[in-house]
Amino acid sequence: MKIGIIGATGAVGRQMIDCLDEQAIPVEELRLFASSRSVGRTMKFKQKDVAIEAVSQDRLNGLDAVFGAVSAELAKEYRPLIQKAGALFIDNSSAFRAEEDVPLVIPEINGADAFAHHGVIANPNCSTIVALMAAAPIANISPIEKMIVSTYQAVSGAGIPGLRELHDQIHSIEEGKPVETEAFPAQIAYNCIPFIGSEGTDGYTSEEAKMQNEGRKILHLPELRVTCTCVRVPVFRSHSVSVSLQCKEPVSIEAAEQALRLYPGIRYMKEGYPMPLDTSDQDLVYVGRLREDKVFDGGLALFACGDQIRKGAASNAVQILRVLLSKE
Ligand code: A2P
């Protein structure tokens, strides 16, 4: 296959390059795209140097699939070019997730939806992926009606600028220098910021709205109600989520444990608990702290943690292509 990655130099794009190799996608040619600032640089794929190029119709032509790892604005700008090239666009941004004819896919949960695409498939939000991977096995026992989610999101969710900002702020504080803030709305070093995305009219942020809207589409539960609070924490990699949920019928701890143990892509922890340092740089979502919820009758509470650059973004996107190829 001839594959392109737009945003190849970013946190997610770089990871996509590795995931193509790890998931044994048959890549005949790889074209890497970034901003004009990066043109002239090279990146390694299977020990070979690949030149970074600027996006152009000419260089998109001939590709079978293009992965998007850029902002929603750029994804919208490049979509017509990718579609004109006749390539499948698997996009990691939020640009097309709500569109009716764009499948929104977590392969373990709704992989079959990918086949209904019309040229574009969207990769869900990173916290949504971590939370739904933990919730889906329970939803299979009885449909989830309500969920309360709090997220603890790593700085790499904001890309390389987010990683750099936490690193630089820690060093500035150690050296007694002034702290500079750019990627986040407040100092993130030694702090928590309960605001991610943009402000909505109902008091929730755009990031918080994604958990409900994307959850409904992926789980095929149009009535699902979600209250979500998204918090940025000074962790480099791996998002964590605390979830309380109530299903249509009560679900026992034993039934949930068994479902979680058997579900692909999950590591269920009966002993110990999931933590970002343990879940980084691998594809499993760890789920633990499973207990009865004290507010939702017959409901459950749990904690989950997963690498949001991998399963929350790059690995999930490449897995979508893997699913499509498996049926060819
Ligand atoms: P570049 O490295 O040249 O700026 P992150 O969110 O991790 O910072 O990644 C953003 C990605 O989007 C980078 O690969 C960045 O490339 C890329 N990018 C930024 N602007 C453009 C553009 N106009 N066209 C294509 N890619 C872009």
Side-chain angles (χ1 to χ4, degrees):
M1 294 191 82
K2 294 188 178 176
I3 291 189
I5 299 175
I6 303 184
T9 51
V12 172
R14 281 175 198 205
Q15 186 64 62
M16 282 170 169
I17 300 174
D18 291 342
C19 289
L20 286 173
D21 196 13
E22 288 169 10
Q23 295 190 35
I25 301 292
V27 183
E28 182 192 321
E29 185 184 342
L30 181 64
R31 294 185 200 158
L32 300 179
F33 302 99
S35 78
S36 52
R37 294 180 293 276
S38 299
V39 173
R41 286 176 49 199
T42 59
M43 294 179 83
K44 292 267 184 218
F45 175 62
K46 293 190 173 189
Q47 278 96 48
K48 289 205 181 106
D49 286 328
V50 181
I52 313 280
E53 309 179 59
V55 180
S56 70
Q57 185 68 64
D58 188 42
R59 295 298 292 153
L60 290 170
N61 288 343
L63 293 176
D64 300 301
V66 174
F67 289 97
V70 288
S71 65
E73 290 70 27
L74 285 171
K76 285 181 194 157
E77 187 181 322
Y78 293 138
R79 175 185 185 167
L81 310 188
I82 297 164
Q83 296 213 272
K84 195 168 174 208
L88 169 66
F89 187 19
I90 302 179
D91 181 40
N92 189 55
S93 83
S94 61
F96 318 115
R97 290 176 189 153
E99 288 185 20
E100 213 166 300
D101 67 349
V102 173
L104 182 63
V105 178
I106 301 174
E108 291 86 345
I109 302 175
N110 65 331
D113 289 358
F115 293 94
H117 75 82
H118 295 89
V120 181
I121 299 178
N123 209 44
N125 168 262
C126 44
S127 300
T128 304
I129 293 183
V130 175
L132 293 193
M133 281 295 291
I138 300 168
N140 282 346
I141 302 171
S142 174
I144 299 172
E145 293 188 331
K146 296 177 193 166
M147 268 205 311
I148 298 177
V149 183
S150 295
T151 72
Y152 308 78
Q153 298 186 212
V155 292
S156 47
I160 289 171
L163 282 167
R164 203 177 295 132
E165 188 146 312
L166 175 57
H167 177 269
D168 289 352
Q169 287 183 353
I170 290 170
H171 283 280
S172 296
I173 291 164
E174 276 173 3
E175 291 162 13
K177 292 185 188 154
V179 166
E180 287 178 22
T181 291
E182 206 178 316
F184 302 114
Q187 176 182 320
I188 186 61
Y190 310 112
N191 203 8
C192 290
I193 308 174
F195 190 94
I196 303 180
S198 55
E199 195 159 359
T201 49
D202 56 0
Y204 287 84
T205 65
S206 53
E207 186 82 356
E208 291 162 353
K210 289 171 190 170
M211 188 70 76
Q212 168 164 295
N213 300 337
E214 298 181 20
R216 288 176 170 177
K217 186 166 174 176
I218 295 162
L219 295 173
H220 300 171
L221 292 173
E223 306 296 322
L224 175 68
R225 288 170 61 191
V226 180
T227 285
C228 183
T229 305
C230 290
V231 183
R232 185 77 65 191
V233 295
V235 164
F236 281 105
R237 197 159 162 151
S238 267
H239 285 355
S240 306
V241 292
S242 153
V243 181
S244 280
L245 54 82
Q246 188 172 42
C247 299
K248 199 159 179 230
E249 304 294 335
V251 175
S252 70
I253 299 274
E254 295 70 30
E257 273 185 341
Q258 200 192 5
L260 286 161
R261 278 207 179 92
L262 295 175
Y263 206 77
I266 283 184
R267 180 173 167 206
Y268 175 65
M269 300 181 76
K270 192 166 171 72
E271 308 295 332
Y273 30 82
M275 291 185 287
L277 285 181
D278 298 330
T279 58
S280 292
D281 209 23
Q282 52 82 55
D283 286 336
L284 294 175
V285 172
Y286 287 30
V287 183
R289 299 289 325 275
L290 183 69
R291 58 217 193 273
E292 277 177 20
D293 195 83
K294 296 277 190 194
V295 175
F296 288 148
D297 289 335
L300 295 168
L302 57 82
F303 194 80
C305 202
D307 187 321
Q308 92 289 353
I309 293 183
R310 278 184 163 270
K311 182 58 189 165
S315 316
N316 195 76
V318 174
Q319 252 184 301
I320 292 172
L321 182 61
R322 185 76 267 167
V323 167
L324 294 173
L325 290 177
S326 69
K327 288 277 163 70
E328 272 186 1

